[in-house]
């Protein structure tokens, strides 16, 4: 008699990543097993900010995830693309501030968070060439232009030890998304690390209009 496969009771969370940097970085953190075993993450690479709303709607309508999060850059001021993403998510869910509960942001870009694994870094712009000197300084990767091979090389240098270093540093930049060199990543790290999953229920209730 064939064995019945074990029932997976983990909380299914979909994370829509803006692009390759976000995707490979988040995947690297999953490989490190630094978060609570309560969660099972599913990653989607939107490949551009403009694709995020459509990917979000598709994932939402599939109705297989308990929660769908977004991991993206703020882009440069006046944050036109980022603002469009927030507005479209809010409109789709018919909740004025839904995006504030679902978006993991980095100002100006995810590379800001990545480099915090290696040192105290404060990026002011998104540009790959602009930041290439800092990227080489902290990771040794030269002439960075966001090729997949380069991203994977940088992410491969991230360890459980450097995760703890990043965690401490990113906690110091927990400011609003309009503030240069900011991120709300620490809020989600605390949730992903915790056994208590009430935060998922709280977001679900808000989106459904029960709170």
């Amino acid at each position: 008699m064939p064995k019945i496969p074990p029932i997976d009771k983990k909380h299914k969370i979909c994370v829509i990543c803006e692009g390759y940097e976000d995707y490979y970085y988040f995947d690297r953190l999953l490989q490190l097993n630094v978060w609570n075993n309560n969660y099972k993450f599913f990653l989607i690479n939107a490949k551009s900010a403009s694709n995020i709303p459509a990917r979000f709607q598709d994932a939402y309508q599939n109705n297989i995830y308990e929660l769908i999060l977004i991991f993206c850059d703020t882009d440069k001021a006046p944050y036109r693309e980022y603002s469009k993403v927030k507005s479209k998510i809010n409109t789709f869910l018919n909740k004025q501030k839904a995006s504030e509960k679902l978006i993991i942001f980095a100002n100006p870009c995810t590379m800001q968070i990545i480099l915090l694994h290696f040192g105290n870094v404060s990026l002011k712009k998104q540009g790959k060439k602009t930041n290439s000197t800092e990227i080489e300084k902290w990771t040794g990767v030269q002439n960075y232009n966001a090729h997949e091979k380069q991203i994977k090389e940088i992410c491969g240098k991230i360890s459980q030890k450097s995760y703890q270093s990043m965690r401490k540093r990113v906690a110091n930049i927990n400011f609003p998304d309009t503030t240069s060199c900011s991120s709300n990543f620490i809020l989600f790290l605390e949730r992903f690390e915790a056994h208590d999953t009430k935060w998922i229920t709280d977001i679900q209730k808000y989106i459904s209009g029960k709170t």
Side-chain angles (χ1 to χ4, degrees):
M1 182 175 179
K3 291 184 179 180
I4 299 174
I7 298 174
D8 189 350
K9 294 184 178 180
K10 294 184 179 182
H11 297 274
K12 296 181 179 180
I13 299 176
C14 176
V15 182
I16 299 175
C17 301
E18 177 178 341
Y20 289 96
E21 283 183 355
D22 320 82
Y23 179 88
Y24 286 122
Y25 173 59
F26 205 101
D27 186 58
R28 177 57 180 166
L29 296 185
L30 292 178
Q31 293 172 21
L32 295 177
N33 295 314
V34 289
W35 296 332
N36 196 283
N37 199 39
N38 268 341
Y39 309 107
K40 186 172 184 179
F41 292 91
F42 300 82
L43 304 185
I44 294 175
N45 183 359
K47 298 184 180 178
S48 77
S50 61
N51 291 333
I52 290 174
R55 297 293 182 272
F56 183 91
Q57 291 180 36
D58 287 345
Y60 189 89
Q61 290 166 344
N62 283 337
N63 199 31
I64 59 175
Y65 307 112
E66 290 183 56
L67 195 64
I68 303 168
L69 303 176
I70 296 167
F71 187 31
C72 66
D73 303 342
T74 61
D75 72 46
K76 60 183 179 181
Y79 314 111
R80 290 190 182 93
E81 196 64 53
Y82 176 67
S83 296
K84 285 181 183 178
V85 170
K86 294 201 315 184
S87 177
K88 288 180 179 180
I89 297 301
N90 293 340
T91 299
F92 175 72
L93 296 174
N94 196 28
K95 295 293 290 186
Q96 188 176 3
K97 296 184 178 181
S99 61
E100 295 180 12
K101 298 182 180 295
L102 301 174
I103 291 180
I104 305 169
F105 72 83
N107 184 333
C109 55
T110 299
M111 184 55 69
Q112 170 64 59
I113 298 174
I114 294 174
L115 293 182
L116 290 179
H117 282 267
F118 308 104
N120 289 309
V121 182
S122 179
L123 300 181
K124 303 302 181 185
K125 297 181 180 180
Q126 268 191 318
K128 313 303 181 187
K129 290 184 178 180
T130 303
N131 295 328
S132 62
T133 300
E134 283 291 294
I135 293 171
E136 181 178 354
K137 173 184 175 181
W138 295 104
T139 70
V141 175
Q142 299 178 342
N143 302 314
Y144 184 76
N145 53 13
H147 282 174
E148 285 187 65
K149 184 178 179 180
Q150 292 177 318
I151 299 169
K152 289 180 179 180
E153 182 180 350
I154 292 173
C155 290
K157 298 174 183 288
I158 292 172
S159 65
Q160 289 184 349
K161 183 177 180 180
S162 75
Y163 170 84
Q164 296 302 329
S165 299
M166 176 278 296
R167 194 185 186 286
K168 293 176 182 177
R169 292 173 181 135
V170 82
N172 294 326
I173 60 171
N174 182 26
F175 302 115
D177 54 12
T178 53
T179 302
S180 180
C181 187
S182 64
S183 176
N184 63 347
F185 200 28
I186 187 61
L187 302 179
F188 288 90
L189 294 181
E190 291 172 348
R191 292 167 178 172
F192 297 162
E193 293 168 358
H195 182 76
D196 186 358
T197 60
K198 183 177 179 294
W199 65 276
I200 295 178
T201 306
D202 290 343
I203 294 176
Q204 289 173 333
K205 287 181 177 179
Y206 175 80
I207 292 174
S208 65
K210 294 181 180 180
T211 57

